[in-house]
Amino acid sequence: MRIRPIAALSVAAFSAVLLAGCASGANPNATPAPSTSGAAADLCAAAAPSGAASDSITVEGEVGEKSTATFSAPLEVEELQSTVVSEGEGDPVAAGDLVTYALTAFSAETGEELGSFGYDDAPVLPQQISGDNPLGQLLGCATPGTRVVAAFPATEQGAAEVYVVDLLEVVPNAAWGDPVDPAEGLPTVELADDGAPTVTLPEGDAPTEFEKATLKEGDGPVVAAGDGVLVQYHGVSWDTGEVFDESWGGAPFSFTAGSGVVQGFTDAVVGETVGSQVIAVLPPAVAYGEGEINDADLKGQTLVFVVDILGVQPAETPAQ
């Protein structure tokens, strides 16, 4: 799915697009593709230029904290402009990186604050950055800790607006927690250099009850029911031994714990910490239901998921 150009977005549309991402929520059965093709992958070239409007805005406050933007209202904005307020440190981000960010929006007509998200009291899930999505068009190939202020012209969807955007961190694309000794009787997992798992099933019958074990223990927040969660996953059918679905090779998958996925997938992540990797065995009762085994819809099959938990968004913050 291609995200609409940032200049066509109002604050509501911008936040909705970024918070929703491109992953669908019916179940983890599709591989979303990151937006990194062609010239759009060049983040440095994708960044909107600065201009008189964005340069005239004064921003006060520390990066990573909600700040103020002061300007002469109404601010005349004829084209999208983005000015670097503060440069970060470290390596520049690359197309396809997962990043955390925070944003505060203001009306260009009145100077009134319109809303904010991504700060400590309202964290959001990490997002992929690329040259053809809003984050890339605002931040380009910035370094973590960079703050920009952007001025948006009025569109048919809304009035002109001003955004203060902080690029916070680059998030690993795979679980980064400490390894945990594998549990006996469960499938074994080997990891490629990029973190992609390969599952080897043990001999014998599949478990008849839901089982899970932590393979890496992260140090982040605990996932609760109702939270938005960002994961990498790898799914294998115990019945066929085949990989039936995975997010590796595309974009990580976002969903709400307890909604839009099979019960066992939620059970795999609830109670676990961000940065963790878990393996879960889902009998049909908590997967796709009992019945005759069917390769097409997975009914009657016992499933194995390896899940890397990359981010969590508490339920009380705007839904992912």
Side-chain angles (χ1 to χ4, degrees):
M1 179 179 115
R2 182 180 173 88
I3 296 179
R4 292 174 293 159
I6 194 169
L9 299 176
S10 68
V11 61
F14 179 81
S15 59
V17 167
L18 285 179
L19 295 179
C22 289
S24 68
N27 52 58
N29 63 1
T31 303
S35 299
T36 57
S37 60
D42 186 349
L43 284 181
C44 296
S50 62
S54 60
D55 287 344
S56 72
I57 302 166
T58 300
V59 180
E60 295 183 354
E62 298 295 325
V63 175
E65 298 178 1
K66 188 176 174 181
S67 302
T68 61
T70 305
F71 50 89
S72 297
L75 182 66
E76 293 187 7
V77 185
E78 297 183 355
E79 60 184 0
L80 173 62
Q81 301 172 8
S82 180
T83 295
V84 175
V85 176
S86 178
E87 292 188 358
E89 299 178 348
D91 296 329
V93 295
D97 280 351
L98 287 172
V99 300
T100 56
Y101 66 98
L103 178 151
T104 305
F106 303 84
S107 167
E109 298 295 321
T110 66
E112 175 189 7
E113 181 184 319
L114 300 175
S116 66
F117 57 80
Y119 300 100
D120 288 341
D121 58 344
V124 293
L125 293 183
Q127 298 288 327
Q128 278 190 322
I129 188 169
S130 73
D132 60 356
N133 75 18
L135 283 178
Q137 293 173 31
L138 280 180
L139 296 164
C141 55
T143 54
T146 293
R147 164 172 283 178
V148 302
V149 60
F152 292 79
T155 68
E156 294 181 357
Q157 289 75 35
E161 292 168 354
V162 169
Y163 290 177
V164 177
V165 184
D166 293 346
L167 176 59
L168 302 177
E169 295 181 317
V170 176
V171 177
N173 201 43
W176 57 86
D178 295 328
V180 176
D181 291 338
E184 294 185 5
L186 290 180
T188 58
V189 177
E190 293 186 6
L191 301 179
D193 291 342
D194 65 354
T198 298
V199 172
T200 301
L201 299 172
E203 296 182 359
D205 295 334
T208 58
E209 301 291 335
F210 173 83
E211 296 184 26
K212 75 172 181 178
T214 302
L215 302 179
K216 293 183 179 182
E217 187 170 0
D219 56 0
V222 176
V223 179
D227 287 350
V229 193
L230 184 71
V231 301
Q232 294 275 26
Y233 69 90
H234 177 82
V236 176
S237 167
W238 192 299
D239 299 270
T240 67
E242 300 294 326
V243 176
F244 63 86
D245 191 22
E246 63 179 339
S247 62
W248 292 96
F253 175 73
S254 61
F255 69 104
T256 299
S259 175
V261 295
V262 296
Q263 182 60 47
F265 200 81
T266 288
D267 294 341
V269 300
V270 168
E272 304 293 335
T273 53
V274 172
S276 295
Q277 181 184 75
V278 298
I279 185 169
V281 179
L282 284 59
V286 292
Y288 289 91
E290 306 287 351
E292 183 178 353
I293 291 177
N294 185 328
D295 288 341
D297 63 11
L298 301 176
K299 179 172 286 189
Q301 298 191 37
T302 297
L303 309 180
V304 178
F305 280 106
V306 178
V307 184
D308 291 23
I309 304 171
L310 307 181
V312 64
Q313 178 176 314
E316 61 268 21
T317 61
Q320 175 99 358

